[in-house]
Amino acid sequence: MNILIIEDNADLAASLWDYLESKGHVIDAAGDGVTGMNLATANEYDVIALDLILPGLDGLELCHRLRVDARKCTPVLMLTARDTLQDKLRGFEVGADDYLVKPFALQELDARLRALARRGKPGSGTRILQVSDLTLDLDTLEVERAGHPIALTPTGLQVLEVLMRRPGCVVTRRELETELWGDQLPDSDALSYHIHALRRAIDKPFRGHLLRTVRRIGYRLSRVDTIQT
C-alpha cells in the first residue's frame, strides 16, 4: 500500500514509518497540516493516517478540506489522544473513516489501514448498481441521484454498496459492522454516524427518501415503489 502519515510527533512518525515500511508498504510523511494537505491532494494514496492535533492546519480541518474542496475519497484513519465520544463523532462528521486512540498497538494500526485500503477499492460483480434514481458505478465509485453527483467517503461508499446489492431487504447492523470493520469493531456507535452522513447525502437534498431505519434491527434501501413523498 501507499500510505501517507500526517503526524507532528517526530518520534511517533518515525516509529510508524519504520514499522509500516517493514510490512512492505510505501510511506510518505508530513509533520504539519499544510504539508500533509499538499501531499494528500497532489498524490494518490491507498490510505492516510492523520493526527488530530497538527501545527498549521489541524486534522479535522484538513479532513474536511480533503473531502469538500479537493473532493478526495482517500480513506482516512484519524489518530488522536482524545477519546471522548464527541471528539470521535466530530471526526466522522468531517469525513474520517475510522478512529484510533493513542496509545495503540502497531499491529492494530496496520490491520485498520489494510481494512480501510480494501474499503476504498471498487467492488466486484455488476458494474452499475441502481435503486430508484440512485446509482453507484463500481468502477469509478461515482454516485449520482437524479443526475446529481454525490460525494461520499470510502466508508459511505461501502455502506451504500452493501445496501444497494440488497435493495428492499433489511441489512442488520451486525452485518454492516462486520463488513466495515471485521473483527476490529470500533468502541463507539460509529455505524450510526456513517448512516447519518449517508442519509444526509443521498436523501436530504431530494424528494423521496430511500434509506430507511428498521428499528433495533438495521437498515434498508427502499425500492422505487416504496418511496414515500
Side-chain angles (χ1 to χ4, degrees):
M1 294 189 300
N2 291 324
I3 302 172
L4 173 61
I5 300 169
I6 308 176
E7 167 62 62
D8 67 326
N9 183 311
D11 291 337
L12 177 57
S15 295
L16 299 182
W17 184 303
D18 290 343
Y19 180 80
L20 293 172
E21 191 173 55
S22 74
K23 295 298 181 178
H25 306 307
V26 177
I27 312 299
D28 275 346
D32 64 86
V34 174
T35 303
M37 183 66 185
N38 290 338
L39 286 172
T41 54
N43 303 295
E44 294 297 327
Y45 297 100
D46 295 303
V47 65
I48 297 171
L50 175 62
D51 189 27
L52 183 61
I53 305 300
L54 293 166
L57 184 67
D58 69 30
L60 292 176
E61 182 62 23
L62 191 159
C63 191
H64 175 74
R65 293 187 186 182
L66 192 67
R67 300 298 189 220
V68 176
D69 297 338
R71 300 184 67 82
K72 284 276 192 174
C73 290
T74 311
V76 171
L77 175 64
M78 195 78 78
L79 308 176
T80 181
R82 296 181 179 179
D83 61 356
T84 68
L85 178 60
Q86 190 59 40
D87 289 326
K88 295 176 183 178
L89 299 185
R90 180 61 181 143
F92 289 130
E93 286 172 1
V94 298
D97 296 280
D98 201 358
Y99 211 103
L100 192 57
V101 177
K102 301 175 182 178
F104 48 78
L106 293 175
Q107 294 91 332
E108 181 179 4
L109 172 71
D110 185 41
R112 287 181 181 264
L113 291 174
R114 290 177 186 273
L116 285 176
R118 289 194 299 269
R119 189 181 309 173
K121 294 178 181 178
S124 59
T126 305
R127 182 173 178 273
I128 302 290
L129 298 178
Q130 182 165 1
V131 176
S132 185
D133 56 353
L134 178 69
T135 61
L136 167 60
D137 187 321
L138 295 174
D139 292 333
T140 64
L141 298 182
E142 293 177 343
V143 179
E144 292 186 354
R145 184 165 181 194
H148 298 281
I150 296 172
L152 297 176
T153 66
T155 301
L157 286 167
Q158 189 171 13
V159 173
L160 182 62
E161 179 182 344
V162 173
L163 293 171
M164 292 188 77
R165 287 189 181 278
R166 297 169 60 183
C169 298
V170 176
V171 180
T172 67
R173 290 182 59 86
R174 176 57 65 185
E175 287 177 281
L176 282 170
E177 288 173 340
T178 300
E179 182 71 26
L180 294 174
W181 293 288
D183 295 330
Q184 300 288 336
L185 296 181
D187 57 1
S188 64
D189 193 17
L191 178 61
S192 293
Y193 294 92
H194 285 300
I195 289 289
H196 175 74
L198 180 61
R199 179 176 281 120
R200 186 172 54 201
I202 69 172
D203 276 345
K204 187 174 181 180
F206 303 96
R207 182 182 179 187
H209 292 173
L210 299 173
L211 181 54
R212 307 291 182 185
T213 299
V214 181
R215 190 178 179 188
R216 298 182 181 176
I217 300 177
Y219 307 92
R220 66 180 171 87
L221 277 180
S222 302
R223 296 181 185 276
V224 63
D225 59 353
T226 62
I227 298 177
Q228 300 175 4
T229 59

